[in-house]
Amino acid sequence: MTEPSAAGPPLLPPGAELPPALRGCAPWFRRVRLLLSRYLVQAAPWERPSPPRILDRRVVELLGGQRSHEERLLPLAELERGLASSPLPDLEPSPADVLGWRWRQLLDRGRLEPDEVDLLTLLAAPALVPDFLRLYRELAGSPAALAWPESLLRQIVDPDGNRGERVARLFDPRGRLAQLGYAELLSLPGNLPELCWRLPPRLAQHLVGHDLPDSALAGVLELVSAHHELDELLPPGLDAAALVAVLEQAVASARSLLVVIHGAAGLGRRSLAAALADRLGRPLLALDLGRLAAAAAPADLLRRVGLEQQLADGLLLLTRGELLDDPAQANLVAQLPSFMDRLPGPTFLVADARPGPTVLPGRELLPLALKLPTPERREAIWRRALEEAGPALADDVDARDLARKYHLPPGRIVAAVQEASLQSRVRGLPLARAQLQRACTSQLTHRLALLADRVEASLDWSDLVVPPEIRELLWQVVRRHTLHARVFEEWGLGTKLVTGTGISALFSGPPGTGKTMAAGVVARELDMPLYRVDLSRLVSKWIGETEKNLAGVFDEGRAAHAILLFDEADSLFGKRGEVRTSTDRYSNLEINYLLQRMESYEGISILTTNLPRAVDEAFLRRITFHVEFPLPDEQTRAALWRSLMPPRAQVAPGIRYTLLAREFELSGGHIRNCVVRAAFLAAQADRPITERLLRRACLDESRSLGRLLRDEEEAGAGDDGWEDDRPADDDDVDDDVADADDDEDDDEDADDDEDDDEDDLDVEVADDDADDAAR
């Protein structure tokens, strides 16, 4: 910065020594003395403080000793006899020289004009030297003042009033001192409110060596450290040395350059900005635009942010840049250009997508697009994260499998490994694959639950009773997903296809044939969440809302790594018809949009329908697998009966499942309903599940389906002992007992009658024998 030349007056007159900590600032404090001395000499008598109070011995020494009246009236330029530059030392100074070193550093970074240096020095003097504070309070006429009236400062800087325009620019709230945060403007209340200026407390603390961050910026501004090498974070096709050279040129020329790093969250956007700042040898400060927009006074926060950036000599990173495209943030967007103009060198902006051309127009942009790393890159990140995690790995942990199954960005891979490793340490067990999978699932942020219902996949292949060809098709769905990365990415087939790299399956067949169950089995095999899309939440009467909801389903499904299940899909994926009304036209638009999203969806989508002919042919062309679930034959029905019986229930032995399968032609869903019916009937009677209960449940299920029953079936239902299986009330039990007693009495009477008949017969026979003997 500038210092008085050697030809000028003595630096400090005898008897006016400064404290050791202020010696590095001696030239500028000498200039404060000259300004205050000139003001006291030229002030009008009614404006000048009384000599006993202000011009005592201490004040005279503070102002540099007794000097001639003529010398005090000389212009400052003649007193200084010219200014010369003095470079700053490269090394951090000793504690005794901190104030002087930081003061000169502050003036260099601000690139201030001489008038601005004068005003800044006047504001710094009472904040750093107690004697100057006492003098300023006397001059202001306030014994407790901490800010100084603008009128007083104007008279000190320009007592003659000859520099009106220059002084007006100097005290402009939009001037450099105020915008850089070097000077703080206050409006003190009172009968006659007056504008007052002061040195910001944060700046005063910095000058004396205390670097505590501004408490007003808590949660808004934070320091970002570099944890990764630049080569690990750069997207393919960029050269690290060339990129750093461009940024160094912007720093050297103080050219404002906006580096836009856009991509999905977790791809290392902040880490890339931190690595670039580290290569430039500058700290990086992250400003949260969301919190800034929500603040009550964003302009004041921006001034504080600018001061922190100046004090740290760092680069600024603007986060949540997608807010700049939000029309509701027009006030924030309007304030950013002037703020960024005061930031020399490169500024970083991270966002989900590149901001539009109307955002921050006229700025030099350097866009850097980040994409999901390739499987090989993800595998390397997994291996490095697992090595750095610490705990031993279980045998089932495979970095290659994790990299291909979970398409996570680098940041979330590291977070998942850290979470799983902590869990394993708490349990004292090796880090297992199941823990890593749960941690990966927790890293997925989505709102799919607002548009779909989670289906718990609790069944596996042993519970699925389908023909072998159906099982093979389902296994093909599983294998295609597990080999997706190898075929489309490693072998490069994805470069030949623009769309259609996802997996879509149509499960068609009569009700109850296991379509939804098969979707759950596939989801469990792949260890992926299954969400059934609620069509009532998607379809809207308002134009465009249905398409918007559909877009949300596919976007959130991709973020959740979930399988989307469109149950009864024919209601949404129906055939397009001839346009006769506006309703037909918009219905066709919905189907066309759905066709496009189905083809571009990168995950797994499953459609189930009972009416495959009602589905539009264009959908069928885009379907990867079409699985037709037939009605089960007799052998399959018998297997379904056995597999659906609850394992912990009381089941009577000797149930003839083959006979049930032969007599009742039911689908798997209806057989499940029969088992449920029979189980509740058995629980009600507190008896085991018997064949008679299963038969009765089959008859009830058949009636509910509207099927006609043969007379022998109805008769069989009456003789199957079902009446004995029903629980009886107390009255019914008494009646049954009474009826039983009557029956016993009737039986006894019948026995007596039989005995009487036998006696009569014996008498008749004896009489006949006597007659025969008499003859």
Side-chain angles (χ1 to χ4, degrees):
M1 190 55 205
T2 55
E3 294 184 9
S5 62
L11 190 63
L12 288 176
E17 295 292 335
L18 287 172
L22 300 179
R23 290 176 183 174
C25 303
W28 293 275
F29 279 100
R30 175 176 175 272
R31 189 169 181 82
V32 172
R33 290 168 171 172
L34 294 176
L35 288 170
L36 292 174
S37 298
R38 188 179 66 169
Y39 164 71
L40 291 174
V41 169
Q42 295 185 349
W46 56 85
E47 296 175 346
R48 185 185 308 158
S50 58
R53 280 196 305 148
I54 192 67
L55 296 180
D56 56 9
R57 181 179 58 83
R58 291 185 62 190
V59 172
V60 170
E61 292 181 355
L62 177 66
L63 298 181
Q66 295 288 350
R67 306 176 73 175
S68 65
H69 180 73
E70 292 77 11
E71 185 180 10
R72 294 179 186 275
L73 295 180
L74 288 176
L76 290 178
E78 293 188 19
L79 287 174
E80 294 296 340
R81 304 283 179 88
L83 300 173
S85 299
S86 175
L88 286 171
D90 295 332
L91 301 178
E92 189 73 22
S94 63
D97 299 329
V98 167
L99 178 60
W101 189 82
R102 291 196 172 191
W103 174 259
R104 296 168 64 190
Q105 189 182 55
L106 182 70
L107 298 183
D108 270 3
R109 293 174 182 171
R111 303 175 186 270
L112 303 179
E113 297 178 356
D115 291 338
E116 295 170 339
V117 175
D118 285 342
L119 178 57
L120 181 61
T121 311
L122 283 172
L123 296 177
L128 300 175
V129 183
D131 286 339
F132 276 113
L133 177 62
R134 184 173 67 87
L135 174 60
Y136 275 53
R137 286 175 172 174
E138 292 287 348
L139 295 177
S142 175
L146 294 175
W148 319 115
E150 183 176 312
S151 57
L152 173 63
L153 297 174
R154 284 176 177 266
Q155 292 179 8
I156 296 176
V157 172
D158 184 21
D160 298 327
N162 298 327
R163 301 186 297 167
E165 184 177 353
R166 294 175 59 184
V167 173
R169 290 198 305 269
L170 186 62
F171 289 93
D172 187 354
R174 297 166 298 180
R176 284 179 52 79
L177 286 180
Q179 294 300 321
L180 289 173
Y182 288 1
E184 189 173 2
L185 179 62
L186 304 176
S187 180
L188 300 182
N191 295 331
L192 296 174
E194 185 174 8
L195 296 178
C196 295
W197 294 81
R198 71 172 181 176
L199 189 76
R202 173 68 182 94
L203 182 55
Q205 294 174 1
H206 169 77
L207 289 174
V208 297
H210 299 298
D211 286 322
L212 296 177
D214 192 341
S215 59
L217 297 178
V220 179
L221 191 72
E222 63 175 340
L223 181 66
V224 181
S225 302
H227 299 289
H228 302 280
E229 295 295 333
L230 180 59
D231 295 333
E232 300 177 359
L233 300 168
L234 274 181
L238 290 181
D239 182 74
L243 178 58
V244 173
V246 171
L247 299 181
E248 288 176 343
Q249 184 180 4
V251 171
S253 60
R255 187 176 81 255
S256 180
L257 175 65
L258 183 61
V259 182
V260 180
I261 306 175
H262 58 93
L267 289 176
R269 301 173 303 183
R270 290 164 57 103
S271 299
L272 176 57
L276 289 171
D278 185 65
R279 289 287 289 270
L280 296 175
R282 307 280 290 276
L284 185 66
L285 301 174
L287 172 61
D288 189 339
L289 294 181
R291 293 181 178 269
L292 179 65
D300 177 65
L301 287 183
L302 282 177
R303 283 193 293 270
R304 293 174 181 268
V305 168
L307 176 60
E308 290 291 337
Q309 185 266 340
Q310 288 281 338
L311 299 182
D313 191 25
L315 301 177
L316 199 61
L317 168 65
L318 306 178
T319 64
R320 298 182 64 184
E322 57 273 3
L323 292 178
L324 300 180
D325 285 320
D326 187 357
Q329 306 299 334
N331 184 32
L332 175 64
V333 175
Q335 297 184 37
L336 280 180
S338 59
F339 167 71
M340 296 177 64
D341 288 338
R342 301 189 299 271
L343 302 176
T347 302
F348 299 95
L349 173 70
V350 298
D352 295 339
R354 177 176 174 175
T358 58
V359 178
L360 305 176
R363 309 198 68 82
E364 187 177 5
L365 298 180
L366 176 59
L368 300 177
L370 297 184
K371 297 182 180 180
L372 194 69
T374 61
E376 294 80 7
R377 184 81 172 270
R378 292 199 301 270
E379 182 180 350
I381 297 173
W382 272 106
R383 293 188 184 281
R384 183 174 65 251
L386 291 172
E387 291 175 358
E388 297 174 355
L393 301 180
D395 296 336
D396 59 351
V397 175
D398 186 0
R400 182 183 181 89
D401 177 65
L402 292 169
R404 280 151 179 77
K405 183 173 183 178
Y406 296 100
H407 294 186
L408 294 176
R412 295 186 180 178
I413 292 176
V414 174
V417 173
Q418 292 175 350
E419 177 182 340
S421 63
L422 287 176
Q423 292 291 335
S424 64
R425 289 176 181 175
V426 170
R427 292 180 172 86
L429 298 174
L431 183 56
R433 181 174 181 267
Q435 292 176 333
L436 289 170
Q437 289 180 339
R438 286 193 295 268
C440 290
T441 304
S442 66
Q443 295 299 319
L444 303 176
T445 57
H446 59 89
R447 297 178 299 172
L448 189 56
L450 301 177
L451 300 171
D453 299 322
R454 177 74 179 265
V455 178
E456 294 298 333
S458 58
L459 303 179
D460 55 17
W461 294 102
S462 62
D463 300 308
L464 185 63
V465 181
V466 293
E469 59 273 12
I470 302 299
R471 186 181 294 267
E472 175 59 26
L473 284 175
L474 297 177
W475 271 112
Q476 288 185 24
V477 175
V478 173
R479 287 193 292 266
R480 175 149 183 171
H481 181 268
T482 55
L483 299 175
H484 182 278
R486 181 179 183 183
V487 173
F488 285 100
E489 297 178 9
E490 294 183 11
W491 291 4
L493 187 59
T495 60
K496 303 295 183 180
L497 301 177
V498 179
T499 57
T501 59
I503 302 174
S504 56
L506 176 64
F507 293 174
S508 63
T513 51
K515 300 183 293 296
T516 305
M517 179 182 178
V521 171
V522 171
R524 179 170 181 176
E525 178 66 27
L526 293 174
D527 197 17
M528 298 175 64
L530 177 65
Y531 281 86
R532 180 190 288 112
V533 179
D534 188 353
L535 299 182
S536 64
R537 305 183 200 176
L538 300 184
V539 180
S540 174
K541 65 179 180 179
W542 303 109
I543 297 174
E545 285 298 315
T546 301
E547 290 85 345
K548 180 180 178 181
N549 295 335
L550 286 171
V553 167
F554 285 106
D555 292 341
E556 297 300 330
R558 178 183 179 184
H561 286 57
I563 298 178
L564 298 180
L565 175 62
F566 294 88
D567 222 348
E568 306 297 337
D570 49 275
S571 60
L572 189 61
F573 295 78
K575 292 184 178 181
R576 291 167 290 185
E578 182 180 355
V579 177
R580 296 182 178 179
T581 64
S582 59
T583 304
D584 298 334
R585 177 173 178 267
Y586 289 113
S587 298
N588 289 345
L589 286 177
E590 294 176 1
I591 297 175
N592 293 336
Y593 179 79
L594 195 53
L595 283 168
Q596 297 173 8
R597 290 310 303 260
M598 277 284 297
E599 193 169 19
S600 61
Y601 183 57
E602 298 179 359
I604 300 178
S605 56
I606 299 177
L607 290 67
T608 67
T609 180
N610 302 332
L611 302 171
R613 295 182 180 179
V615 179
D616 194 286
E617 294 181 358
F619 281 110
L620 299 178
R621 181 179 63 82
R622 291 167 170 83
I623 294 296
T624 311
F625 297 96
H626 186 186
V627 185
E628 296 184 6
F629 288 77
L631 285 171
D633 55 15
E634 180 179 330
Q635 182 179 0
T636 304
R637 291 196 297 270
L640 285 170
W641 277 110
R642 293 186 180 90
S643 65
L644 289 175
M645 295 304 293
R648 292 192 298 270
Q650 296 181 5
V651 181
I655 297 179
R656 295 169 294 176
Y657 298 112
T658 305
L659 182 60
L660 292 174
R662 183 183 308 117
E663 293 183 0
F664 299 98
E665 296 182 1
L666 300 174
S667 65
H670 296 145
I671 293 176
R672 179 199 58 193
N673 295 341
C674 293
V675 172
V676 173
R677 285 176 184 265
F680 274 99
L681 292 174
Q684 182 181 4
D686 194 16
R687 296 180 179 179
I689 301 176
T690 63
E691 182 178 339
R692 289 175 297 180
L693 291 181
L694 292 174
R695 186 182 301 276
R696 181 69 184 188
C698 291
L699 292 173
D700 292 341
E701 185 72 14
S702 299
R703 292 191 189 98
S704 66
L705 294 175
R707 296 183 180 180
L708 297 178
L709 299 177
R710 297 188 299 270
D711 293 338
E712 54 269 22
E713 291 178 343
E714 294 285 358
D719 296 336
D720 62 359
W722 161 241
E723 297 296 336
D724 295 335
D725 288 333
R726 291 185 300 176
D729 297 334
D730 294 339
D731 295 337
D732 295 336
V733 172
D734 294 339
D735 294 340
D736 292 341
V737 172
D739 293 340
D741 293 340
D742 293 340
D743 293 340
E744 291 179 0
D745 294 339
D746 293 339
D747 293 340
E748 292 176 358
D749 293 340
D751 294 339
D752 293 340
D753 292 339
E754 291 179 359
D755 293 339
D756 293 338
D757 292 341
E758 291 178 357
D759 292 340
D760 293 340
L761 180 61
D762 292 340
V763 171
E764 291 178 357
V765 171
D767 292 342
D768 292 339
D769 293 340
D771 292 341
D772 293 340
R775 292 189 188 100

